Amino acid sequence: MKHILMLTLLLTSGAFAVEFEDILAKAKAGRPMYQYLLGSMYDQGEGIPENDAEAVKWYRKAAEQGHAIAQFSLSYMYDLGEGIPENDAEAVKWIRKAAEQNLVAAQFFLGAKYFLGEGVPENHIKAYVWSSMAKTNGDERAKETLGFLKTEMTKNQIAEAQKLAAKCYESNYKDCD
């Protein structure tokens, strides 16, 4: 995953002389990394005019092929209603797919969605589970979230959440409910 982020930064920063046409051709050929990159270019207005609808189009193509960062990006577009109508349930759908692929930022934000009840019913146990996954994987913000959640939960709820978190982790994020 770190390699994908580094490549994304290099390609979109101009560190490599990668032409828009090359990225477009590879994206049209169905390559998810390039579909994501094209979506990011449209999203940020990197070398081309910003166009949120085109960003959503290309993020979706990559997301549907399982590209975790594209799933996270598509979730963000739904969350903010950029290029697509705001839809918290769709945002959670895509963020969960990214979280299940061990994208730490997605795990953190999925925990926040459960805590706030945005796109899913408010559920402190599931918020604890996903915040625990993010913390285990190095997200420093998750430590604070867990500390706060513990003040809002009973000892039995915390024990249940810890048991579910262990089950979630052991199942490689597939058995987290």
Side-chain angles (χ1 to χ4, degrees):
M1 190 60 62
K2 290 179 184 176
H3 293 77
I4 292 171
L5 288 173
M6 181 59 94
L7 179 60
T8 300
L9 290 173
L10 290 171
L11 290 174
T12 58
S13 71
F16 291 122
V18 177
E19 297 294 324
F20 172 77
E21 292 79 20
D22 291 337
I23 293 172
L24 180 62
K26 291 173 181 171
K28 285 182 176 180
R31 296 177 64 185
M33 179 64 195
Y34 290 93
Q35 291 168 335
Y36 163 73
L37 284 174
L38 189 56
S40 180
M41 291 172 74
Y42 277 115
D43 190 10
Q44 302 300 315
E46 288 285 334
I48 56 176
E50 186 175 325
N51 185 327
D52 290 339
E54 280 294 305
V56 167
K57 170 185 160 182
W58 290 105
Y59 283 155
R60 181 180 310 284
K61 287 179 181 290
E64 288 173 347
Q65 293 187 69
H67 192 281
I69 301 170
Q71 292 167 339
F72 184 71
S73 298
L74 183 58
S75 169
Y76 187 77
M77 302 300 271
Y78 272 113
D79 196 42
L80 297 178
E82 293 184 354
I84 198 161
E86 185 177 330
N87 186 324
D88 288 336
E90 278 295 305
V92 168
K93 170 187 155 183
W94 289 106
I95 204 166
R96 184 178 187 100
K97 288 177 183 289
E100 289 173 347
Q101 291 189 68
N102 201 23
L103 188 62
V104 179
Q107 292 170 342
F108 175 79
F109 284 107
L110 183 56
K113 291 290 190 184
Y114 276 112
F115 176 74
L116 298 170
E118 291 181 357
V120 290
E122 185 178 316
N123 186 319
H124 287 175
I125 291 172
K126 289 182 182 181
Y128 189 102
V129 167
W130 285 106
S131 296
S132 293
M133 297 305 99
K135 178 184 174 237
T136 298
N137 290 309
D139 191 309
E140 293 295 319
R141 302 167 296 179
K143 289 180 186 178
E144 291 179 37
T145 302
L146 288 169
F148 179 76
L149 279 166
K150 286 179 180 178
T151 67
E152 300 289 311
M153 299 169 70
T154 66
K155 289 183 181 192
N156 286 340
Q157 287 174 318
I158 292 169
E160 182 182 343
Q162 289 172 337
K163 183 179 175 182
L164 184 55
K167 186 173 147 183
C168 179
Y169 187 77
E170 290 168 6
S171 71
N172 198 28
Y173 316 109
K174 300 301 179 207
D175 197 6
C176 303
D177 291 317

